[in-house]
Amino acid sequence: TLVALLCAVAFVASGLFTRELKVPDEVRVAEIGREMAVTGDWLVPHLDGTPFLEEPPLAYAAIAQARRALGASDVVARLPSCLATIATLLLAFGMARRLGGDEAGLLAVLVLASLSGFQRHATSCQVDGPLMLAVTLGQAAWLALLTRDDGARLHPGAVLLLHVAAGVAFLVKGVVGPALLYGPLLVDLVWHRRWALLRSAWHVAGAALGLALAAAWPLALHAAEPALLHEYLEESVLGRLMPGRFPSGGHTNPPTYYFVGFPGMVAPWVLAAPALVAWLRRAPASDDGHRAGTRALASVFPVGLLLLSIPGTRRTLYLLPLLPSAAVACAAWLASARRRTDLSRLESLTLLVLVAPFALLAELPARLVGVLRGTRPDPFAVRPLLATVRQGRSPPAGAGVTPARLAWAYFGVSVAASLLGGRFQDPDDRITPIATDLARLGAVGDALVGFRLDERTRAIVPLRTGQLFENVEDPSALAPRLAAHPGARILVPGDQADRLPPDLRGRLVPVGHWTFGRHEYVLLSAAADETRTVPSTSR
């Protein structure tokens, strides 16, 4: 357990301090948390002073509380997600240990931390990290029910935890939270006819408690302002299901989107999927002692992927809550492979493919050493394994390729990638200088007007300066706004400058220019005596 905790902390620390907040997602979530901390409005999330109702407020409230307690910084903004990630890794450890012992538990931590999607998103300042924790908590409760001793009664605590986790998942990200938890579990229950798991009055109490948690925010929102609840239902619920008919948060992609993009989220362990499926189909019940639980967890990812394909708004990030269960199932197979001497050709080939990158990397210095010493060592002993695979036999005891070595190697790569990630940050993410320059010019608060600004700018300027500003969408509203604040400057995206009113455009002079990757911004002033300027900046 201590080793698992140290691995979880090391993984989180590697991604916590190494880069600026990314745009638009991280800066948006951090700014919403900042505004909640400043205003004390825990009911309605706001972005640049405007209600932002894509998700319920629980994750934003966690960021706000962290900011109030620890101050303002990028690290503090990411802290709730990072704590959720540590808790998720430890839950994965506990779930896998229940399936295959301590070795499987540690393997689950290493596998989960080395999944490419987990490495990219788990420590980000986003609501999907806390959602992942809530969903995994419910899955852990279901696994406890599945793997109880034969004839044992359903534990009331596990039943209640299952439904409470669903309620918390709703408060983090709305309807998708309970759907990702209940959906795969219901499919497993019906497919395998596990009706005995429903024979408990505690399900009634747990469902009532979970429903009360989930309903608390919509009811409070309706009591405060019914129009806000209508906006949430239209944009965040109907808008995601039918983005063509209702406004949505964007990210509209074709129904096949996840089936093309999911390998990038579960690499490199997606290569183990065929061997895992084959093992689950042929493994005797005595192989791991809890095959039902392993099968249930292995089905979460494909079923969840199908469920997420129903809404019209799709991003690979949304697959994050499905990763822990997949990692636990993979770890159960790895632990089983470690104990057995009768690996199938598919399992041996899978291990060979997974170890190949490290073997090739190790072969380069090995060849040089071999020239100097007259030998050619093979650190991963791939050749004996390759020979046995070709002959259709299991690898010999000294083959050198073990699940533990593989998992530790990929975990090390994941930590290294997190540590180096900040050095190769996308130019689009380096938008902080625009806020610094605007503050130096005094163009913040009432002294700044945005014209059709994107979400990233509406978030980064108040996040870094602490002052809100007005963003105008209607060109006809600009003149009255400038009349009320004659010295105000206008910040415009480069592709929107030609949509300014013609009569106003002739009186405006550029006093600042920024380029960040594919995004360009221009600061304009109508003051005749404007002398302070910012040189053109490219990031």
Side-chain angles (χ1 to χ4, degrees):
T1 304
L2 179 59
V3 175
L5 176 61
L6 291 176
C7 288
V9 172
F11 169 79
V12 165
S14 68
L16 184 58
F17 305 97
T18 56
R19 64 184 189 276
E20 294 181 7
L21 292 175
K22 291 183 178 180
V23 295
D25 294 329
E26 283 196 288
V27 294
R28 180 191 66 236
V29 173
E31 169 56 17
I32 293 172
R34 184 198 73 83
E35 292 185 36
M36 189 172 283
V38 171
T39 63
D41 185 351
W42 307 104
L43 182 64
V44 182
H46 286 80
L47 175 63
D48 195 24
T50 304
F52 187 88
L53 297 171
E54 284 192 12
E55 296 96 7
L58 185 58
Y60 302 121
I63 296 172
Q65 290 288 6
R67 186 184 178 96
R68 283 189 169 188
L70 303 173
S73 71
D74 290 359
V75 171
V76 171
R78 288 194 178 106
L79 193 57
S81 288
C82 289
L83 293 176
T85 296
I86 292 176
T88 301
L89 286 165
L90 294 180
L91 277 174
F93 172 82
M95 293 162 71
R97 183 171 61 175
R98 177 180 287 271
L99 294 174
D102 288 342
E103 182 182 25
L106 182 56
L107 285 171
V109 173
L110 300 176
V111 170
L112 179 56
S114 59
L115 290 174
S116 58
F118 193 85
Q119 185 269 328
R120 290 199 308 271
H121 300 299
T123 58
S124 297
C125 177
Q126 302 192 77
V127 302
D128 299 88
L131 174 64
M132 173 180 62
L133 173 59
V135 171
T136 307
L137 191 62
Q139 291 169 349
W142 182 256
L143 182 65
L145 298 176
L146 271 177
T147 56
R148 73 194 190 284
D149 295 333
D150 290 339
R153 68 186 184 94
L154 298 179
H155 194 284
V159 175
L160 292 176
L161 183 60
L162 169 65
H163 299 292
V164 168
V168 173
F170 177 87
L171 292 177
V172 173
K173 202 170 180 177
V175 177
V176 69
L180 286 181
L181 174 56
Y182 283 139
L185 303 186
L186 286 174
V187 169
D188 175 71
L189 184 145
V190 173
W191 186 268
H192 296 286
R193 301 180 181 181
R194 308 187 198 280
W195 310 120
L197 295 178
L198 299 180
R199 295 170 186 166
S200 172
W202 287 102
H203 277 295
V204 178
L209 185 56
L211 183 60
L213 280 173
W217 179 69
L219 291 176
L221 197 62
H222 182 269
E225 190 171 346
L228 291 179
L229 178 60
H230 181 270
E231 179 182 343
Y232 167 72
L233 294 175
E234 185 175 277
E235 295 189 8
S236 191
V237 180
L238 296 177
R240 292 180 184 274
L241 291 172
M242 297 176 286
R245 294 188 56 190
F246 297 92
S248 67
H251 311 298
T252 303
N253 289 295
T256 58
Y257 176 76
Y258 288 121
F259 298 95
V260 176
F262 84 86
M265 285 290 287
V266 290
W269 296 101
V270 65
L271 299 172
L276 170 62
V277 172
W279 170 66
L280 286 174
R281 291 184 63 183
R282 70 177 180 82
S286 60
D287 188 43
D288 63 349
H290 295 101
R291 186 175 53 168
T294 308
R295 282 180 169 174
L297 293 179
S299 68
V300 167
F301 190 90
V303 174
L305 189 117
L306 290 172
L307 290 174
L308 287 173
S309 297
I310 296 174
T313 55
R314 305 175 184 93
R315 298 177 66 190
T316 52
L317 167 66
Y318 299 162
L319 299 176
L320 185 64
L322 306 178
L323 300 185
S325 56
V328 171
C330 183
W333 166 67
L334 287 172
S336 171
R338 172 69 178 86
R339 294 191 299 267
R340 290 183 287 121
T341 58
D342 61 337
L343 296 186
S344 67
R345 177 181 295 188
L346 178 59
E347 290 176 299
S348 298
L349 182 60
T350 298
L351 291 174
L352 175 64
V353 171
L354 285 169
V355 82
F358 302 102
L360 293 174
L361 184 63
E363 187 73 12
L364 296 177
R367 286 183 178 275
L368 178 60
V369 172
V371 171
L372 297 176
R373 296 182 177 178
T375 61
R376 290 175 58 186
D378 189 356
F380 278 85
V382 174
R383 294 187 191 89
L385 181 61
L386 180 58
T388 56
V389 169
R390 286 174 176 170
Q391 298 167 16
R393 296 186 290 107
S394 300
V401 181
T402 67
R405 289 189 185 185
L406 275 176
W408 278 110
Y410 279 111
F411 175 76
V413 170
S414 179
V415 170
S418 294
L419 290 171
L420 296 175
R423 297 174 180 259
F424 303 99
Q425 196 164 359
D426 191 322
D428 282 358
D429 294 342
R430 302 183 184 275
I431 196 174
T432 294
I434 196 172
T436 305
D437 292 341
L438 289 172
R440 182 158 55 88
L441 286 170
V444 291
D446 289 338
L448 179 67
V449 180
F451 178 68
R452 295 188 173 181
L453 288 176
D454 50 29
E455 206 172 68
R456 67 184 64 217
T457 322
R458 292 173 55 211
I460 195 64
V461 174
L463 179 65
R464 298 307 188 199
T465 66
Q467 298 190 52
L468 304 179
F469 67 96
E470 184 179 357
N471 181 57
V472 176
E473 294 290 335
D474 184 2
S476 63
L478 271 176
R481 177 66 177 78
L482 291 176
H485 299 275
R489 265 63 74 75
I490 306 175
L491 185 63
V492 188
D495 59 355
Q496 297 292 327
D498 59 349
R499 301 195 179 187
L500 290 165
D503 58 328
L504 182 62
R505 196 185 313 156
R507 296 187 288 114
L508 296 174
V509 243
V511 293
H513 179 266
W514 298 267
T515 302
F516 304 96
R518 299 159 300 189
H519 298 269
E520 179 185 13
Y521 303 92
V522 181
L523 186 66
L524 303 170
S525 174
D529 60 344
E530 183 72 62
T531 57
R532 291 176 293 176
T533 63
V534 176
S536 296
T537 304
S538 180
R539 305 285 173 177

